[in-house]
Amino acid sequence: MSNPPRPRLAVWKFASCDGCQLSLLDCEEELLALAEKVEIGYFLEASRKTLPGPYDLSLVEGSITTPEDAERIQEVRRASRKLVTIGACATAGGIQALRNFARIGDFLSAVYASPEYIQTLDRSTPIAAHVPVDFELQGCPIHRFQLLEVISAFLSGRSPAIPHYSVCLECKRAGHPCVLVARGTPCLGPVTHAGCGAICPGYARGCYGCYGPMESPNPPSLSLRWRALGASERDLHRVFRTFNAAAAPFRRESEAHAD
Amino acid sequence: MPTKKLSLEALARVEGEGSLELFLHDGKVETARLRIFEPPRFFEAFLRGRAAAEVPDIVARICGICPVAYQMSAVHALEHGLGVVVDGPLRLLRRLLYCGEWIESHVLHIVLLHAPDFLGYPDAIAISRDHRAEVERALALKRAGNEIVRVLGGREIHPINVRVGGFYRLPSPAELSALRARLERAREEAVALLRWVATFPMPEYQRDYEFIALRHPSEYPMNEGEIASSRGLSLAPEEFDTAFEERHLPHSTALYCSLRERGSYLVGPLARYNLNFDRLPPSIQAHAREAGLGPTCHNPFQSILVRSVEVLFACEEALRLLSLYEPPEAPALPLPRGAGEGHAATEAPRGLLYHRYRFDAEGTIEQARIVPPTSQNQASIEEDLRLLAESLLALPEESLRARCEQAIRNYDPCISCSTHFLRLRIHGR
């Protein structure tokens, strides 16, 4: 008797640090179990065996930064039944979206002796700017338990149970005293998407926003509070301009404060 | 006879994207090119204008596989620029954190990326169908490395607890005692991993590399030391530019780093081992000998064995550090204000990682320079491939491709860092 066909999984990489697909390899205990549930069709970091599409679920890491990649994402979309972006690069353009606020020629000549050898776009854009996306998993890096939730949800045909509230709720649940209220430490937690488990306040520092904006945040209000704690305009400009710099609520808030 | 080309399309099981092109002429390999087509991400450009305090969080994002290495080189370089020396228990905790990264990154490479080449499987999942216990034990060992990084760094990928001057929060006695118990088991798992890897079939191949690694007066190097070479070079990290130069070649988005007037060299576990065997504790030396290694090793395929020795060393070292730890008064040293320029080199799992920063009196970064291990090894990888491919040209294309991929993975190249994955194109066959 033969087993029913397993859903085919693909993992794709664009401009990124590999940290989010590493979250999958970091599922040490769950990795072999997962490999029994799905057929890995394309996952170059893990296997040289590649199977043809269509893929039931494609996980996409990284942002679009080259003309070639802008073409390749179209092929990935065509070959995928469901497409989920994993991480801040694929979902918001990533840290490399800092180029969106500068002249790309200045960046090229700062890093490369022969910029003419480099093919690159002047902007780093999220996957959703190019193709329809079925779900976006935020985080720099994503959390492996959230990734497993997203994979199991898509494999069983339901919506992933990923909360859209702020880091503050996770902080309360973890029992951390509020670093902003109790210690006067500037913290982005109130406007930042939950998912990390409120690590930074647990390590006595403010959240630096690596999960990007929560649903309906109010960054201007948080900036007022930061200013009362002594943050300069420049600090506010920079703090919203990191790993999710191009996500609209963070972009607008950074632009509201002069460099 | 015209020049012909052979290409290896899509290199799997490396971190990042690259391809290999072999140019053949009259049955000889004229040129081997490792093309890195990872999109450039411009870290050195956008570090300019950032606050020094932000640097450890930003540079972590260069690589999800070895963020600790980037953080360690960065904080050491910035502290060097400020004239601050982090010593005592804080230094010990940093070394412990680095042990965690060596363990998780090395085991990832040994088992998930490299072992399939030696055993003839497409991936580790396929290996696990025949060798379930070995793979499960190795994954448990990898988890132990991640545990160290999580406790000291806050999380495994892109740690949040590293700062210039020390840490944000010190680990609690309960966290450290749980780590100690976990590492006792990890040491046994590491011995088993080394013994398993020692049974892998090893291709015969030797090359006379110039090895470059840090050398420390008393320790197997991680965070500190002179930059030493197997041909007599000895430099302080701030003298990096006097000995090394970076060039930009058209076929790669990674810069090539070479020794001025001497050319290619090799960094990474093999280099560390060859230059620092005497710094390994006698018990680790004995395990290395039992695995078939001498005090020196010139076969790049044996790097998988050397990595396994380093995993065992990192477990032992982590236990030793834990037994010495006394909590310091504060999680970080106070930092002076002022402009400066600082240099540092540390030993990332895949080799020497050099950082330099110049900053103004406000601590704003004016200039950043980062030389990752893969760009230093790129020329050596190409030379290995040229020499190796030449001796294997009679093989069927699939076997040739497999052996070339294996040779590239000897280096554990982290192509995301250099600005990952191989396409073989053979031109001329």
Side-chain angles (χ1 to χ4, degrees):
Chain A
M1 204 175 84
S2 69
N3 293 322
R6 291 172 297 165
R8 199 166 272 191
L9 177 75
V11 183
W12 309 94
K13 178 191 152 61
F14 292 86
S16 68
C17 78
D18 279 51
C20 290
Q21 49 178 323
L22 180 64
S23 301
L24 203 54
L25 298 180
D26 268 353
C27 296
E28 287 100 357
E29 285 95 352
E30 302 88 359
L31 184 63
L32 298 180
L34 176 70
E36 283 160 13
K37 298 269 181 247
V38 300
E39 182 175 44
I40 294 176
Y42 189 94
F43 184 9
L44 283 182
E45 176 151 333
S47 181
R48 64 186 304 224
K49 187 177 81 182
T50 58
L51 302 171
Y55 307 98
D56 296 284
L57 176 61
S58 274
L59 302 173
V60 180
E61 174 190 279
S63 69
I64 305 299
T65 60
T66 66
E68 244 179 4
D69 281 355
E71 302 273 322
R72 188 160 61 100
I73 189 61
Q74 301 291 338
E75 289 167 34
V76 169
R77 178 69 263 191
R78 279 195 291 275
S80 312
R81 295 204 169 93
K82 295 285 182 189
L83 188 155
V84 170
T85 63
I86 55 170
C89 297
T91 301
I95 184 137
Q96 50 277 2
L98 289 173
R99 72 176 66 186
N100 302 7
F101 309 99
R103 291 216 324 261
I104 193 71
D106 295 346
F107 271 26
L108 273 168
S109 55
V111 179
Y112 295 102
S114 310
E116 66 277 11
Y117 298 156
I118 300 289
Q119 281 267 317
T120 187
L121 298 169
D122 61 355
R123 293 168 64 81
S124 165
T125 42
I127 303 303
H130 299 262
V131 295
V133 169
D134 296 288
F135 189 81
E136 294 182 314
L137 185 62
Q138 292 182 220
C140 179
I142 55 168
H143 196 289
R144 66 175 192 274
F145 292 143
Q146 289 204 328
L147 178 61
L148 289 174
E149 163 58 19
V150 168
I151 294 172
S152 12
F154 274 89
L155 295 181
S156 54
R158 61 176 172 85
S159 309
I162 301 294
H164 296 285
Y165 48 68
S166 75
V167 170
C168 295
L169 263 84
E170 293 190 307
C171 229
K172 301 286 169 289
R173 211 177 286 139
H176 301 318
C178 179
V179 294
L180 187 66
V181 172
R183 295 206 195 97
T185 302
C187 179
L188 282 185
V191 298
T192 299
H193 195 282
C196 64
I199 311 165
C200 289
Y203 278 77
R205 65 180 291 196
C207 164
Y208 62 87
C210 63
Y211 270 58
M214 65 178 289
E215 206 169 61
S216 316
N218 188 355
S221 170
L222 184 64
S223 290
L224 285 175
R225 183 67 198 252
W226 274 54
R227 209 148 338 124
L229 293 169
S232 68
E233 283 295 284
R234 228 177 133 211
D235 294 336
L236 286 164
H237 174 79
R238 276 200 301 248
V239 78
F240 285 100
R241 197 160 277 195
T242 60
F243 316 103
N244 295 274
F250 284 10
R251 176 179 52 76
R252 284 196 297 268
E253 193 58 21
S254 74
E255 284 166 350
H257 304 278
D259 187 7
Chain B
M1 193 174 153
T3 300
K4 292 189 186 166
K5 294 205 302 184
L6 172 102
S7 297
L8 183 61
E9 295 283 341
L11 174 65
R13 299 198 321 271
V14 299
E15 298 122 24
E17 305 211 332
S19 77
L20 170 64
E21 287 187 304
L22 298 178
F23 293 83
L24 312 189
H25 186 65
D26 281 346
K28 287 198 175 303
V29 181
E30 241 175 11
T31 313
R33 276 189 193 156
L34 180 66
R35 286 185 61 228
I36 290 183
F37 47 85
E38 182 79 14
R41 297 196 297 143
F42 304 114
F43 275 85
E44 289 154 313
F46 56 64
L47 280 163
R48 290 182 183 180
R50 308 298 302 210
E54 293 177 291
V55 172
D57 297 328
I58 293 176
V59 296
R61 268 70 185 181
I62 294 175
C63 180
I65 322 279
C66 55
V68 170
Y70 283 90
Q71 293 189 323
M72 288 299 107
S73 289
V75 292
H76 275 78
L78 289 162
E79 288 156 8
H80 177 244
L82 289 165
V84 169
V85 177
V86 172
D87 217 334
L90 292 173
R91 176 185 188 275
L92 179 156
L93 286 176
R94 284 184 169 172
R95 189 164 166 86
L96 179 59
L97 175 62
Y98 225 147
C99 286
E101 179 158 285
W102 275 27
I103 296 168
E104 62 82 16
S105 175
H106 273 356
V107 177
L108 169 84
H109 183 260
I110 293 165
V111 180
L112 290 167
L113 309 184
H114 212 184
D117 287 330
F118 290 86
L119 300 177
Y121 292 88
D123 52 55
I125 290 159
I127 299 179
S128 74
R129 288 186 200 113
D130 299 333
H131 306 273
R132 183 91 185 186
E134 285 85 351
V135 173
E136 280 185 347
R137 197 166 47 209
L139 290 174
L141 175 57
K142 176 168 170 292
R143 171 57 44 99
N146 273 330
E147 277 296 303
I148 300 177
V149 179
R150 193 185 53 73
V151 168
L152 295 176
R155 69 177 159 203
E156 300 88 335
I157 303 168
H158 307 332
I160 53 90
N161 194 29
V162 171
R163 72 194 284 187
V164 186
F167 294 89
Y168 287 91
R169 194 202 83 183
L170 293 169
S172 70
E175 286 173 321
L176 292 177
S177 82
L179 269 189
R180 193 172 297 124
R182 183 63 194 85
L183 280 162
E184 295 285 353
R185 265 187 296 140
R187 177 163 51 187
E188 300 309 310
E189 290 157 357
V191 170
L193 176 67
L194 175 60
R195 289 185 177 153
W196 183 45
V197 171
T199 65
F200 291 3
M202 283 296 151
E204 288 293 327
Y205 179 75
Q206 300 262 330
R207 239 187 83 195
D208 187 22
Y209 301 96
E210 178 157 9
F211 295 113
I212 303 259
L214 291 181
R215 177 109 175 128
H216 182 274
S218 59
E219 295 170 336
Y220 199 74
M222 281 184 184
N223 266 324
E224 288 154 63
E226 296 263 294
I227 299 175
S229 112
S230 52
R231 293 182 193 152
L233 198 72
S234 181
L235 303 163
E238 52 264 44
E239 297 172 299
F240 186 88
D241 280 326
T242 63
F244 300 90
E245 61 184 340
E246 282 186 298
R247 283 171 304 136
H248 192 186
L249 300 178
H251 65 276
S252 178
T253 54
L255 299 175
Y256 278 68
C257 192
S258 62
L259 274 164
R260 290 181 196 280
E261 288 148 33
R262 306 235 285 260
S264 73
Y265 61 97
L266 188 140
V267 300
L270 220 53
R272 281 194 293 263
Y273 182 89
N274 279 291
L275 289 166
N276 293 286
F277 182 80
D278 61 336
R279 299 284 186 263
L280 287 169
S283 61
I284 304 292
Q285 293 181 355
H287 278 288
R289 289 205 163 92
E290 185 203 306
L293 288 165
T296 59
C297 173
H298 292 263
N299 180 347
F301 292 96
Q302 287 184 312
S303 63
I304 191 169
L305 264 175
V306 172
R307 270 188 190 89
S308 307
V309 171
E310 285 196 340
V311 171
L312 177 60
F313 165 72
C315 292
E316 289 252 0
E317 180 68 1
L319 281 163
R320 185 185 73 87
L321 294 166
L322 281 166
S323 71
L324 295 172
Y325 178 71
E326 296 278 343
E329 275 172 31
L333 300 180
L335 298 174
R337 293 178 68 83
E341 183 172 44
H343 308 248
T346 75
E347 286 288 345
R350 19 202 88 61
L352 194 82
L353 169 59
Y354 169 77
H355 285 220
R356 180 185 79 206
Y357 299 95
R358 200 176 68 216
F359 47 88
D360 69 15
E362 305 294 309
T364 304
I365 305 296
E366 294 176 334
Q367 208 186 58
R369 179 136 172 266
I370 296 170
V371 184
T374 298
S375 78
Q376 302 184 65
N377 277 339
Q378 204 169 335
S380 247
I381 300 176
E382 290 184 345
E383 280 173 33
D384 270 5
L385 287 165
R386 187 173 59 78
L387 294 167
L388 190 71
E390 191 141 302
S391 66
L392 299 172
L393 278 176
L395 291 177
E397 185 153 333
E398 192 44 40
S399 312
L400 172 61
R401 174 193 150 109
R403 189 50 64 84
C404 288
E405 286 198 12
Q406 185 179 11
I408 293 168
R409 282 191 282 268
N410 287 335
Y411 290 83
D412 189 7
C414 194
I415 302 174
S416 295
C417 302
S418 4
T419 59
H420 223 331
F421 174 61
L422 192 65
R423 296 183 184 168
L424 175 62
R425 274 191 210 123
I426 304 176
H427 306 272
R429 207 184 213 197

